[in-house]
Structure formats: structure tokens, C-alpha cells
Amino acid sequence: MSEIFELTARPNSELFFKKNDANDPRLGEVVSSEVSEYEAAGIVIVGCPQDEGVRRNGGRIGAAFAPDGAG
């Protein structure tokens, strides 16, 4: 496994909602942030907390603080 993952922060697992309904799966039921599952992952989502695209398009700055920022 790449050493780059050792330098990243893991998301708070409470951010991924689970409904526990087989007919209505939610993000928390299909994603994992466990290091032990990285090598078997087919897709890895890496986030970059910044507002540059929003700023350049005249949007509201603040996305970089989500989801911890106050509304």
C-alpha cells in the first residue's frame, strides 16, 4: 500500500449515515474508511478541503470547512 495513506486523516464514521435497510442502502453502508480495507478497494475517494473553484466561479466561500463548519 502506498505510504501516502499514512499521511491522511480518516473521516469521522458518523458522517456516513446508515439506515440498515437492504432495499434502501445509504452511503455509510457501502463505503469504508478502515485502513485494513484500502488494498482491496476498487475506488478511493480523496478530498482536498479548499474553496478555489468556488471562489473562481463567484460562489460562497466556506466549502473548505465542511462538514465541520457552522452554517
Side-chain angles (χ1 to χ4, degrees):
M1 176 173 53
S2 175
E3 292 180 8
I4 194 168
F5 292 115
E6 296 174 13
L7 304 174
T8 61
R10 308 301 178 268
N12 182 340
S13 62
E14 293 177 11
L15 296 174
F16 300 110
F17 180 73
K18 296 180 181 183
K19 191 173 181 181
N20 297 317
D21 181 347
N23 296 315
D24 190 11
R26 301 301 169 117
L27 187 61
E29 294 157 347
V30 295
V31 300
S32 175
S33 61
E34 299 297 323
V35 176
S36 61
E37 297 185 23
Y38 284 5
E39 287 191 47
I43 297 173
V44 176
I45 299 172
V46 179
C48 178
Q50 50 90 14
D51 286 320
E52 190 58 28
V54 176
R55 185 188 64 76
R56 289 181 183 199
N57 288 299
R60 294 186 324 165
I61 304 299
F65 300 111
D68 297 323

